[in-house]
Amino acid sequence: MFHQLSRLRPDIRSAERRDVLGAFLTLLGLMAGHALMETARDALFLASLPASRLPWVYLAIPAAVLVVDRAQRLVPARLQERNVLSALLLVAAAGTLGFWVLLRSPRPWILYALYAWPGVVATALVVRFWTLVGSVFTVTQAKRLFPLIGAGSMLGAIAGAGLARALSTVVEPRMLLLAAAGILLVTAGGPSLAPRTSAAGAAVPASSGPARRRLAAARHGPREAALIGRMVWERPYVRRVALLVLLSSITLTIVDYLFKSGVARHVPAPQLSAFFSTTYLALNLLSLGAQLVLLPWLVRTMGINRVIAVLPLLLLLGAGAVAVVGGLVAVLALKGPDGALRHSLHRTSSEVLYVPLAFELRTQIKGFIDVLGQRGGQAAASLAILAIAGAGGGERALAVAVVALAAGWFLLTLTLRSHYIDVFRSTLQEKSFRMKMDFPQLDLNSLETLIATLNSRNDAEVIAALELLAEEGRTRLIPTLILYHPSSEVVIHALEIFAAAGRDDFVAIGGRLLHHDDPEVRAATLRAWSAVKPDESLLGASYGDPSPAVRATAIVGLIALGGLAGEEADEAIDAELARDDTESHLALARAIHRQPAPLFERALLRLAESPDRAVQLEVVWAMRAIGGHGFLPALMKMLPQRRLRPAVRETLATLGDPALAALDSALADPAVPLPIQRHVPRTLCLFAPQAAGPVLLRHLLHHDDGVVRFKILRALGRLRRDHPMLDLDRHVLDDAIGQTLAGAFRALDLRSTLARGGAALPVRVTPVHQLVLSMLKDKEEHAVDRLFRLLALRHVAEDFHSIYAGLHSPNRATRDDSRELLENLVQHPLRDPLLGLVDDAADDARLGRARPYYTPAGLTYDGVLQWLLENGSESLRCMTVYHIEELRLHGFLGQLQAVQAEPSSSLAGVIERAVAFLAGTLPAREQLSFEQP
């Protein structure tokens, strides 16, 4: 037992110790006092009254609880929860002492009241206790700490039952109440150590939020229960939790009745106190074992929402045995799961179900559900027992009822999981709304406004009006007089619009524009004129224009019309290419772009060799307009250029399957330079997803460069976001997930070994040592990033990007909510290693959860250096060589010489220097001056 407690101790953070200790001691004292009261109650009641009276007491308990609950609501909201809990413990101690006095001359009404008293005390105190504790810890803390805090309940029950067993042999049962009162009195000081702050680190608010304000307005009024009831009913998750509490209460009440009525029939009255104390002690010992051993394992392997299905399943089996066999042994077998698991596994897992809820909601509905659900269920069970007894049914009929109720309870737990997950989704996902506004068709007033805008002094407004009229198909409404506009940019836009629409009524004014001062206007006029009224003589007259723009436009126009052909056309193009000025090359590329034809393929390939980025950009757009497959090698060569990359990608996408095949080959060919390969994945996103997806997946696992693999992963994520229905090979993704998880644990393993080696021998802790640790930490974090990207591809319906962001949130509650959602989404065998990787536990504990994806290598410090030298990235290998030299590790001389023989120019100098030093031909290198970033 204490060994299990010591195993839990490392999981308590220093900031949590006071809170956990206070909660643990308070619950221990509360349950010890309750165990003493319960033993005295059962022995005194069944010794004087028949068990058939128990259903009437069950009915009285909910009424008494409602009265107590109403009295608690009179407590001012400004009082701290821990002070209220202390006051309630004092009241419980005083009441228990009062029963000890009254039972000097016992009467039936006193026994009835005594039987209800422990239930009333337990409901009031336990609900208040768990509400206080639940407001302090996040769901991840709750799953880690609640089993330990809940162990206080088990230890208290064991201590109380053990004390009752010892006292029952020497004193009458009434004296157990005096001992209980004393324990409760001492426990009243426990809440001073209990939690004082919320999970967010702020004081627990007394009143906040609209729901709390509405309830505050209705406090003590007839609308209060209706408001809380509506809050419960409107939330599917909360509604199911309430129904679960109700069903469990009904079932457990009938089980309790079956147990006590069976004991009353088979155990003599003088032996009841000893029997009950012994039975409760045994059950509490089993309960403690379940709390410390069974519960943590079940929570880790099954998840909290599946753990709550264990008790109803066992009760279903036990009730079946009672229905078939009957007798005291069968009843004890039915009571066993109840006594062993109700206050351990079931209570702890049920309390965790409330933690994901917002504080305002939790504080209001928890008491409502616990009081009305638990005690209302007790009342419903009492009525059911009376009805079955009145109809002549006995033990077996009640057992059949338990079978039906436990089955319903079990099925309800199975439906809870999806709603439990939705609670966490809602805290991590933000709803986004996009408003799409369709531009209405232009009415007469709008047209008048646009045409009036053509007279604006603002050139940008005029151009916007021109473009809008063109988009709306109202080009005919643009007056040709716009060509007299003083702005060259406006005139060029108008000419392009006229040419695209096939309007030739501008030609009369166009003759004047051929002599415009701006050569770009003259070139635009030539293009527009040639588009609507081809005229070789007009182009020939501009052949000798001194402006490169006009001259290139004329040459390209003549070649496109056939006015220049064959060698004559080649000579004209070559003459322009031979000009040693960028302006001429840019003008030629732009002219080809605006008048594209396959005849210009050779010219574009030569222009692509220009060192000027503006020329290359016009070449790319011209290649896109022409669409020849012969452009692919030139386009691939330009892909690494940042300024050209968007245009190159769009152009490649327009070339279709041949371009896709070329990109696929580029990723597979090690001779293709890495700067090109690293921009291929994003380029593939512009192709049809059903074609690009398999290409990217094919290289995801096998490409040698880590940067390329990461870019492939990002590209797949973009494809999946844009095309959610895209089918990706799940086997490939599963393999990638396994490899990435293993890589993350490997980096953790290597880093942990180096850190331990540095602590064991401080001389190893150099700047290079710290840098290597930092680089391995980066590799681990990058692997986790890749892992979540893969999970997002594998599980398209889940938002793993939000979960990953939540895990890195500065808010503890958000991090724990993300972890809880992750735990419920990922299945075995991936779940435990993945959670171990993202948890903030010690490195050794995280590595202990790596199987089956990774087994710690158990390397020594030198073994890690050897592994990095053989398998690390270039940067890690370089730092490892530095570290070997500065530590004077002569044993690595042979291995360094072997690496030196490899064709690796980036390491040659570093290794040569290290080999020379270790061989004794050079002095030691001065310690590096850089610090860990």
Side-chain angles (χ1 to χ4, degrees):
M1 176 181 68
F2 293 102
H3 173 65
Q4 295 295 335
L5 281 173
S6 65
R7 288 179 56 188
L8 288 172
R9 184 178 178 182
D11 286 337
I12 305 175
R13 313 296 190 258
S14 59
E16 300 166 345
R17 289 173 185 166
R18 178 186 175 93
D19 294 344
V20 172
L21 177 63
F24 178 86
L25 294 178
T26 300
L27 192 57
L28 186 148
L30 193 161
M31 295 310 298
H34 181 268
L36 284 164
M37 285 191 291
E38 195 174 45
T39 303
R41 174 198 69 181
D42 292 342
L44 291 169
F45 187 94
L46 293 177
S48 304
L49 299 172
S52 59
R53 304 284 181 90
L54 285 175
W56 298 103
V57 185
Y58 292 156
L59 281 174
I61 293 176
V65 168
L66 287 176
V67 172
V68 172
D69 181 67
R70 178 64 60 180
Q72 287 191 72
R73 293 178 183 274
L74 298 175
V75 176
R78 65 177 180 273
L79 294 181
Q80 293 188 8
E81 286 286 337
R82 63 191 187 94
N83 294 334
V84 175
L85 183 59
S86 292
L88 289 176
L89 284 165
L90 291 174
V91 171
T96 306
L97 185 62
F99 278 107
W100 173 74
V101 174
L102 291 173
L103 283 170
R104 289 178 178 176
S105 54
R107 296 173 184 167
W109 71 267
I110 298 176
L111 293 174
Y112 282 112
L114 173 63
Y115 198 95
W117 177 246
V120 173
V121 169
T123 300
L125 294 178
V126 172
V127 169
R128 181 72 68 171
F129 172 83
W130 285 110
T131 300
L132 171 61
V133 174
S135 68
V136 174
F137 300 114
T138 65
V139 68
T140 299
Q141 288 177 303
K143 291 169 65 177
R144 177 166 49 84
L145 300 175
F146 277 18
L148 179 58
I149 293 174
S153 173
M154 304 304 101
L155 287 173
I158 290 172
L163 182 59
R165 180 71 181 87
L167 292 176
S168 62
T169 60
V170 295
V171 297
E172 58 178 330
R174 183 177 72 90
M175 299 303 295
L176 300 182
L177 295 175
L178 183 60
I183 291 175
L184 291 174
L185 182 63
V186 173
T187 305
S192 63
L193 295 175
R196 305 185 185 198
T197 57
S198 69
V204 176
S207 179
S208 62
R212 294 289 298 272
R213 287 193 292 270
R214 289 196 302 269
L215 288 166
R219 186 180 289 270
H220 315 313
R223 292 191 300 139
E224 181 180 17
L227 283 173
I228 300 177
R230 188 172 66 182
M231 291 168 61
V232 172
W233 182 256
E234 289 175 350
R235 293 165 172 81
Y237 174 72
V238 178
R239 188 167 64 241
R240 282 168 171 77
V241 171
L243 185 57
L244 186 147
V245 173
L246 179 66
L247 275 177
S248 63
S249 178
I250 295 174
T251 307
L252 294 174
T253 300
I254 298 178
V255 169
D256 184 71
Y257 175 79
L258 282 171
F259 167 68
K260 289 175 180 175
S261 62
V263 170
R265 288 196 305 272
H266 295 89
V267 178
Q271 300 176 16
L272 286 175
S273 178
F275 179 86
F276 279 124
S277 60
T278 302
T279 302
Y280 290 157
L281 178 61
L283 291 177
N284 288 327
L285 287 171
L286 290 174
S287 183
L288 179 63
Q291 182 78 5
L292 295 179
V293 180
L294 183 62
L295 178 59
W297 177 76
L298 288 177
V299 169
R300 187 173 64 252
T301 57
M302 298 173 57
I304 200 69
N305 48 75
R306 293 187 180 93
V307 170
I308 58 175
V310 173
L311 179 57
L313 182 61
L314 294 178
L315 291 177
L316 191 154
L317 298 175
V322 174
V324 173
V325 179
L328 181 60
V329 175
V331 170
L332 287 173
L334 174 62
K335 181 63 177 178
D338 175 21
L341 302 182
R342 185 201 295 198
H343 297 294
S344 56
L345 184 145
H346 177 67
R347 182 75 193 190
T348 303
S349 59
S350 297
E351 291 299 332
V352 173
L353 293 179
Y354 291 101
V355 176
L357 300 176
F359 176 80
E360 292 87 351
L361 181 63
R362 179 172 64 244
T363 53
Q364 290 300 322
I365 67 169
K366 188 180 185 307
F368 178 85
I369 292 176
D370 281 354
V371 172
L372 293 186
Q374 183 177 350
R375 297 311 175 184
Q378 196 173 47
S382 303
L383 295 174
I385 294 171
L386 291 172
I388 291 173
E395 181 181 87
R396 284 184 168 80
L398 290 172
V400 171
V402 172
V403 169
L405 290 166
W409 177 2
F410 176 76
L411 293 175
L412 179 62
T413 62
L414 300 183
T415 69
L416 190 64
R417 180 176 181 270
S418 62
H419 298 281
Y420 179 76
I421 295 175
D422 285 340
V423 174
F424 292 95
R425 284 199 185 103
S426 64
T427 63
L428 297 175
Q429 295 177 339
E430 294 182 358
K431 296 181 179 179
S432 60
F433 300 93
R434 292 186 177 179
M435 299 178 61
K436 183 178 179 181
M437 182 182 298
D438 296 325
F439 197 93
Q441 289 191 345
L442 296 176
D443 54 22
L444 182 58
N445 291 332
S446 299
L447 288 172
E448 290 177 350
T449 301
L450 280 178
I451 294 172
T453 304
L454 297 178
N455 297 320
S456 172
R457 294 181 179 181
N458 188 320
D459 293 348
E461 292 181 1
V462 177
I463 293 172
L466 288 172
E467 292 178 348
L468 187 54
L469 286 168
E471 290 175 4
E472 293 295 319
R474 306 298 180 94
T475 308
R476 288 290 174 184
L477 297 178
I478 302 175
T480 56
L481 293 176
I482 194 70
L483 299 179
Y484 285 99
H485 199 282
S487 169
S488 297
E489 190 176 2
V490 171
V491 173
I492 293 171
H493 268 82
L495 286 169
E496 292 173 349
I497 289 172
F498 290 155
R503 285 182 58 177
D504 58 4
D505 54 343
F506 70 90
V507 172
I509 301 175
R512 182 189 66 82
L513 295 177
L514 290 174
H515 305 285
H516 199 282
D517 293 338
D518 189 338
E520 293 295 337
V521 173
R522 299 202 301 273
T525 303
L526 280 178
R527 287 193 301 271
W529 198 316
S530 299
V532 298
K533 283 189 176 183
D535 187 343
E536 292 184 16
S537 61
L538 180 66
L539 293 170
S542 301
Y543 188 83
D545 195 291
S547 167
V550 178
R551 188 172 62 248
T553 300
I555 293 172
V556 170
L558 283 170
I559 294 174
L561 292 175
L564 288 176
E567 292 183 2
E568 189 178 7
D570 291 341
E571 290 175 359
I573 292 293
D574 290 343
E576 290 301 307
L577 292 173
R579 294 179 184 271
D580 191 18
D581 65 287
T582 301
E583 186 179 0
S584 296
H585 295 170
L586 180 60
L588 182 59
R590 187 171 292 153
I592 296 174
H593 173 207
R594 290 168 173 171
Q595 292 180 278
L599 296 169
F600 304 115
E601 181 173 323
R602 185 181 67 87
L604 288 175
L605 291 176
R606 290 185 61 184
L607 286 169
E609 300 297 327
S610 171
D612 187 82
R613 296 289 179 259
V615 174
Q616 289 183 321
L617 185 60
E618 286 294 341
V619 167
V620 173
W621 291 127
M623 288 177 172
R624 178 182 180 184
I626 295 172
H629 300 156
F631 297 135
L632 285 172
L635 289 168
M636 297 289 288
K637 187 177 179 181
M638 289 187 283
L639 191 57
Q641 303 298 329
R642 179 185 297 273
R643 183 178 173 187
L644 305 178
R645 197 176 304 137
V648 171
R649 283 173 171 162
E650 291 183 24
T651 303
L652 287 169
T654 63
L655 297 180
D657 291 341
L660 182 67
L663 293 168
D664 188 5
S665 299
L667 284 176
D669 187 358
V672 175
L674 278 177
I676 293 177
Q677 290 186 332
R678 288 175 176 176
H679 296 292
V680 168
R682 176 67 181 85
T683 306
L684 286 168
C685 291
L686 300 180
F687 289 80
Q690 62 272 20
V695 172
L696 289 166
L697 273 181
R698 188 159 50 247
H699 300 283
L700 177 62
L701 297 178
H702 307 297
H703 201 283
D704 294 332
D705 185 64
V707 176
V708 174
R709 292 196 301 272
F710 180 68
K711 287 181 174 287
I712 289 174
L713 188 55
R714 290 182 61 184
L716 285 168
R718 183 182 293 272
L719 279 180
R720 175 53 66 80
R721 287 194 301 273
D722 295 341
H723 308 279
M725 301 308 295
L726 175 63
D727 185 26
L728 297 175
D729 191 327
R730 295 186 175 184
H731 297 292
V732 175
L733 293 175
D734 287 340
D735 289 344
I737 288 171
Q739 290 183 20
T740 305
L741 193 61
F745 276 115
R746 183 180 300 110
L748 172 61
D749 190 11
L750 297 173
R751 179 173 59 81
S752 177
T753 302
L754 288 180
R756 288 198 304 270
L761 196 60
V763 70
R764 293 168 171 166
V765 183
T766 68
V768 178
H769 168 92
Q770 299 288 9
L771 183 58
V772 172
L773 290 180
S774 178
M775 294 171 72
L776 288 172
K777 179 64 175 177
D778 288 343
K779 283 188 172 294
E780 178 190 340
E781 293 174 351
H782 292 161
V784 173
D785 180 16
R786 294 194 299 273
L787 186 59
F788 275 83
R789 292 176 184 272
L790 287 166
L791 289 170
L793 292 173
R794 182 63 174 81
H795 305 277
V796 64
E798 302 299 339
D799 188 2
F800 278 93
H801 298 289
S802 294
I803 297 175
Y804 179 77
L807 289 171
H808 292 80
S809 170
N811 182 278
R812 177 60 186 263
T814 302
R815 295 198 302 271
D816 288 348
D817 285 350
S818 299
R819 186 197 181 282
E820 181 68 11
L821 182 54
L822 184 66
E823 180 177 345
N824 283 274
L825 292 178
V826 179
Q827 302 300 316
H828 179 78
L830 180 61
R831 181 196 296 120
D832 198 51
L834 178 58
L835 293 176
L837 191 61
V838 302
D839 278 349
D840 57 354
D843 290 345
D844 290 342
R846 297 167 65 202
L847 282 169
R849 302 171 69 177
R851 293 180 178 84
Y853 295 93
Y854 178 78
T855 301
L859 298 174
T860 62
Y861 193 92
D862 288 358
V864 172
L865 296 181
Q866 180 178 351
W867 191 97
L868 292 175
L869 198 58
E870 295 174 352
N871 305 286
S873 62
E874 290 295 298
S875 56
L876 268 173
R877 295 176 76 191
C878 182
M879 290 299 104
T880 302
V881 174
Y882 269 105
H883 198 43
I884 289 171
E885 179 185 343
E886 68 180 358
L887 294 183
R888 297 172 170 80
L889 301 178
H890 296 276
F892 281 91
L893 180 59
Q895 187 177 357
L896 289 175
Q897 290 172 335
V899 176
Q900 189 178 18
E902 299 177 359
S904 177
S905 58
S906 62
L907 290 176
V910 179
I911 293 180
E912 182 180 359
R913 174 67 172 73
V915 168
F917 166 70
L918 293 176
T921 61
L922 283 179
R925 187 193 304 270
E926 293 183 6
Q927 190 177 41
L928 298 180
S929 60
F930 54 80
E931 297 180 356
Q932 180 182 2

